[in-house]
Amino acid sequence: MELRQLRSLVTLVESDCNVSRAAERLYMVQSAVSQHILRLEEELGVHLFMRQGKRITGLTDAGEKVLQHARRVLAETGNILDVGRDHVEDRSGILRIGTTHTQARYVLPPIVKRFNRDYPRVELQIHQASPRQLVGMALENQVDFAICTEDLADQPRLTTVPSYQWNRSVIAPPGHPLLLEDTIDLPALCRYPIITYVTGFTGRGHFDRILHKAGLEPHIVLTAASTDIIKTYVRERMGIGIIASMAYAPERDADLACRDLSHLFPWEVTRIAYPEGKYLRRYQEHFIALFKRDIAERVSREQQPGMRPV
Amino acid sequence: MELRQLRSLVTLVESDCNVSRAAERLYMVQSAVSQHILRLEEELGVHLFMRQGKRITGLTDAGEKVLQHARRVLAETGNILDVGRDHVEDRSGILRIGTTHTQARYVLPPIVKRFNRDYPRVELQIHQASPRQLVGMALENQVDFAICTEDLADQPRLTTVPSYQWNRSVIAPPGHPLLLEDTIDLPALCRYPIITYVTGFTGRGHFDRILHKAGLEPHIVLTAASTDIIKTYVRERMGIGIIASMAYAPERDADLACRDLSHLFPWEVTRIAYPEGKYLRRYQEHFIALFKRDIAERVSREQQPGMRPV
DNA sequence: CGTTCTTACGTGTGTCGTAACGATC
DNA sequence: GATCGTTACGACACACGTAAGAACG
């Protein structure tokens, strides 16, 4: 068995079982990849791929199993290379972050900026996806860190680092009747059409559960994956917006009133996740430290009510 | 980077950093192993080993890190080979069991016998070690299964399967004054010299904690790692023996009286552990199933009071 | 002086690329 | 006929073994 062969196997699967395309990605000719697979199958004594004539159509059961282990082999060889890179030159490299729109737009910017100042020669990549996708991307080593709130707790093959906590706020156009209330409670919220996040995003799960427990049926008039969309329709007076508190920017959103709702909903924990056992390069550890430090500073500086350190 | 190189690295460390001996184990000449290490160091740009002149004296920090990942790479390639073996011939292979004396001597025999009847062409290896050592052996893939009671719970990189529960019994020569008591309690036990297991073995931890909580100071006159030794000195009338209940064999130990102590101590859980993510061959899964089934049958058949299924 | 590791060099295996062939849609 | 995968073959690279050299106790 050779690492090359495993590399070909994984790339082939990621190229929809198209040998030609896999070969391109690997900067090799088709025949080489083909041979890798054939030799691997020969050595193991199992067909890893199902074929119709000569067309490869998919993985066999054995292929699925081998693929999983092959992925981990490659991940670990990647870790070994990273140990080397860190000793040769620990100030440059790539940092691939997978995260949701909310984090990328409202939380990461100051952190990323500072990180870039500390490590100007590290190339930063921000990949945007849904929490569920992010879990897969972290596991398949398509990103170094997955940063989000959902789906990360108790994930068996991921190490997760809690980075900060946040809660929700309600936004509404100035003069909206909700804003006249002294203290906002759940029934008050449910008296108006609500615009909030799509299921699976940004604390939507707990939001639904709390309202359901209270026996309330909110009138959710529109949902979106990103806060910008929500704000847009709140401005259009389609309803009140329930958003993550850190997504309210006082300057830019001066035309929207905002009220904290921390007393109504549980605090959400945003986590940084990476594959269990992954070797963290110096700058990767630095990023995690920076994340926590920045949140702590921001909270104490801006007195933001809907956000707090872990 | 090549798998061969990683293999050489791991073997070299397991050969006390002696290149000649590592080469022997790998059926290669010294120079080949030497080259593997040098090329790997060259590619990574780090010294993995510390040297005094040409003598290799130990791993560097980077070497330690690389070693860990290299071990996992090899474990995963082993899993891949196992997937193949299972499809080629799933009735023969090797099963390496690491366990303590108590399990090997008093619990495993009927299970092993039955397993051998089901899979006569699987070579069984039983490696005996302390619970602490067993954890290391499982992690470093020196055994397939580690079976013991201590040190396995919440081990991060091991999957553990609870297999059965057991409690303690006291053994004493016939006519011993303790046997006249109606119900035996902790103070009663502490009135006599006690012979039991060494710290770290067979439930000794909970034993100590319970007595300490009760404010009792037992007079422990002798400790041993295996029940046979304990029995021997109980026969010599050096004291009463506190042993795992399954270690009392009514026929063979007819010259010793035995009383169950389940009412005094917490139940211990014996677990089967293997590296997280390990591919289990057919016969390995069968062994685990057999283990549980056999215990259930034994308990219901023999009405053994100090043993129960999970 | 034996042990231990590295370096030098030749041989053979094996991998990759070119190219032709065979299959499938 | 176009796309796709396998087979055949040659060139090159490289890993291993032999053997000599260098460093330590």
Side-chain angles (χ1 to χ4, degrees):
Chain A
M1 190 185 337
E2 301 282 329
L3 287 174
R4 294 177 264 278
Q5 297 169 348
L6 301 181
R7 178 144 222 79
S8 288
L9 168 64
V10 171
T11 308
L12 178 53
V13 173
E14 285 172 358
S15 309
D16 301 320
C17 299
N18 182 317
V19 179
S20 316
R21 216 174 312 158
E24 261 181 59
R25 288 201 200 179
L26 292 165
Y27 305 107
M28 299 201 303
V29 294
Q30 300 88 328
S31 69
V33 176
S34 195
Q35 280 182 51
H36 282 169
I37 303 301
L38 292 171
R39 282 184 190 271
L40 190 56
E41 287 182 322
E42 186 190 19
E43 177 175 355
L44 298 181
V46 202
H47 278 292
L48 302 176
F49 289 93
M50 295 184 297
R51 295 166 168 85
Q52 292 191 353
K54 293 204 168 184
R55 229 78 163 192
I56 289 180
T57 56
L59 282 166
T60 61
D61 289 351
E64 287 282 5
K65 290 172 191 160
V66 171
L67 175 68
Q68 287 188 332
H69 297 292
R71 279 220 166 91
R72 289 186 216 141
V73 168
L74 297 181
E76 292 296 355
T77 57
N79 286 331
I80 291 175
L81 292 175
D82 269 353
V83 174
R85 293 191 189 106
D86 242 14
H87 276 78
V88 172
E89 161 59 304
D90 66 352
R91 308 216 46 91
S92 67
I94 301 178
L95 179 55
R96 303 167 300 166
I97 297 171
T99 190
T100 57
H101 180 271
T102 306
Q103 308 295 334
R105 172 84 177 72
Y106 296 102
V107 181
L108 287 182
I111 299 164
V112 161
K113 194 173 169 188
R114 200 154 159 182
F115 177 82
N116 181 249
R117 205 192 55 202
D118 295 346
Y119 285 93
R121 295 173 53 205
V122 172
E123 177 190 333
L124 266 158
Q125 297 180 0
I126 296 190
H127 301 264
Q128 195 179 319
S130 72
R132 186 148 311 219
Q133 289 174 314
L134 288 173
V135 171
M137 291 167 73
L139 286 171
E140 295 184 8
N141 198 31
Q142 292 165 11
V143 295
D144 295 308
F145 293 149
I147 304 176
C148 60
T149 307
E150 271 76 19
D151 297 331
L152 288 187
D154 306 321
Q155 197 69 24
R157 301 199 142 267
L158 290 181
T159 298
T160 63
V161 182
S163 62
Y164 74 100
Q165 295 184 295
W166 56 269
N167 215 310
R168 296 144 185 85
S169 292
V170 59
I171 53 173
H176 190 283
L178 177 70
L179 300 169
L180 301 175
E181 316 231 2
D182 263 0
T183 58
I184 299 177
D185 56 10
L186 293 177
L189 285 179
C190 293
R191 279 199 287 276
Y192 308 96
I194 289 175
I195 307 173
T196 191
Y197 300 102
V198 174
T199 301
F201 276 79
T202 321
R204 176 65 195 276
H206 284 139
F207 176 80
D208 285 353
R209 224 163 300 150
I210 288 290
L211 290 179
H212 183 261
K213 264 191 190 169
L216 295 166
E217 285 199 4
H219 171 37
I220 298 189
V221 68
L222 192 138
T223 60
S226 87
T227 317
D228 295 334
I229 313 287
I230 298 175
K231 288 177 186 169
T232 301
Y233 288 96
V234 170
R235 290 193 171 96
E236 298 287 342
R237 304 197 156 266
M238 271 187 62
I240 59 174
I242 311 287
I243 61 171
S245 295
M246 61 274 188
Y248 179 78
E251 327 79 49
R252 206 182 293 270
D253 299 329
D255 60 332
L256 288 173
C258 177
R259 295 274 293 270
D260 177 50
L261 298 179
S262 304
H263 53 296
L264 297 180
F265 297 99
W267 288 82
E268 304 282 347
V269 180
T270 295
R271 295 178 166 85
I272 306 176
Y274 50 90
E276 204 171 52
K278 176 182 171 71
Y279 172 76
L280 292 186
R281 295 196 58 178
R282 239 171 247 273
Y283 60 78
Q284 290 171 339
E285 298 216 29
H286 182 70
F287 182 87
I288 293 178
L290 210 58
F291 202 128
K292 292 186 152 184
R293 199 195 318 158
D294 182 88
I295 296 286
E297 286 177 13
R298 196 187 315 187
V299 169
S300 70
R301 173 164 25 90
E302 302 179 4
Q303 301 291 332
Q304 200 148 2
M307 224 171 153
R308 67 183 191 195
V310 176
Chain B
M1 189 187 331
E2 300 282 332
L3 286 174
R4 293 176 264 278
Q5 296 169 349
L6 302 182
R7 177 143 224 80
S8 289
L9 168 64
V10 172
T11 307
L12 178 53
V13 173
E14 286 172 358
S15 309
D16 301 321
C17 299
N18 182 319
V19 179
S20 316
R21 215 174 314 158
E24 261 181 59
R25 288 201 200 178
L26 292 166
Y27 306 106
M28 299 201 303
V29 295
Q30 300 90 325
S31 72
V33 176
S34 194
Q35 280 183 51
H36 283 169
I37 303 301
L38 292 171
R39 282 182 191 272
L40 190 57
E41 287 182 322
E42 186 189 21
E43 177 176 355
L44 298 180
V46 202
H47 278 291
L48 302 177
F49 289 93
M50 295 185 297
R51 295 166 169 85
Q52 291 190 354
K54 293 205 167 184
R55 233 77 163 188
I56 289 181
T57 57
L59 282 166
T60 61
D61 289 351
E64 286 283 5
K65 291 172 190 159
V66 171
L67 176 68
Q68 287 187 332
H69 298 292
R71 280 220 165 91
R72 290 187 214 139
V73 168
L74 296 182
E76 292 296 355
T77 57
N79 286 330
I80 291 175
L81 292 175
D82 270 354
V83 173
R85 293 191 190 107
D86 241 15
H87 276 78
V88 172
E89 160 60 303
D90 65 353
R91 306 215 50 89
S92 67
I94 300 178
L95 179 55
R96 301 167 302 165
I97 296 172
T99 190
T100 57
H101 180 270
T102 306
Q103 308 296 333
R105 171 83 177 72
Y106 296 102
V107 181
L108 286 182
I111 299 165
V112 162
K113 193 173 171 188
R114 201 154 159 180
F115 178 82
N116 182 249
R117 205 192 55 201
D118 295 347
Y119 285 93
R121 294 173 53 204
V122 172
E123 176 190 332
L124 266 158
Q125 297 179 0
I126 296 190
H127 301 264
Q128 193 179 321
S130 73
R132 186 149 310 220
Q133 289 174 312
L134 288 172
V135 171
M137 292 168 74
L139 285 171
E140 294 183 8
N141 198 30
Q142 294 165 10
V143 295
D144 296 307
F145 293 148
I147 305 176
C148 61
T149 307
E150 271 75 21
D151 296 331
L152 289 186
D154 307 321
Q155 196 69 25
R157 302 200 141 266
L158 291 180
T159 298
T160 61
V161 183
S163 61
Y164 75 100
Q165 294 184 296
W166 57 268
N167 215 311
R168 296 147 186 84
S169 293
V170 58
I171 52 173
H176 191 282
L178 178 70
L179 301 169
L180 300 175
E181 315 233 2
D182 262 1
T183 57
I184 299 177
D185 56 10
L186 292 178
L189 286 179
C190 293
R191 278 199 286 275
Y192 307 96
I194 290 176
I195 306 172
T196 190
Y197 300 104
V198 174
T199 302
F201 276 79
T202 322
R204 175 66 194 274
H206 284 139
F207 177 80
D208 285 352
R209 224 163 299 149
I210 287 292
L211 290 179
H212 183 260
K213 265 190 189 169
L216 294 167
E217 285 198 5
H219 171 37
I220 298 189
V221 68
L222 194 138
T223 59
S226 85
T227 317
D228 296 333
I229 313 286
I230 298 176
K231 286 178 187 169
T232 301
Y233 288 96
V234 170
R235 288 193 172 97
E236 298 287 341
R237 304 196 155 264
M238 269 184 63
I240 58 174
I242 310 288
I243 61 171
S245 295
M246 59 274 187
Y248 179 78
E251 327 79 48
R252 205 181 294 270
D253 299 329
D255 60 333
L256 288 174
C258 177
R259 296 274 293 270
D260 178 49
L261 298 179
S262 304
H263 54 295
L264 296 181
F265 297 100
W267 287 81
E268 304 282 346
V269 180
T270 294
R271 296 178 166 85
I272 306 176
Y274 50 89
E276 205 171 50
K278 175 181 171 70
Y279 172 76
L280 292 186
R281 296 197 58 178
R282 240 171 248 274
Y283 60 78
Q284 290 171 339
E285 299 216 29
H286 182 70
F287 181 87
I288 294 178
L290 210 57
F291 201 128
K292 290 185 154 185
R293 200 196 317 157
D294 182 88
I295 296 286
E297 286 177 14
R298 197 185 317 186
V299 169
S300 70
R301 173 164 26 88
E302 303 180 4
Q303 301 292 334
Q304 200 147 5
M307 220 172 155
R308 68 184 190 195
V310 176

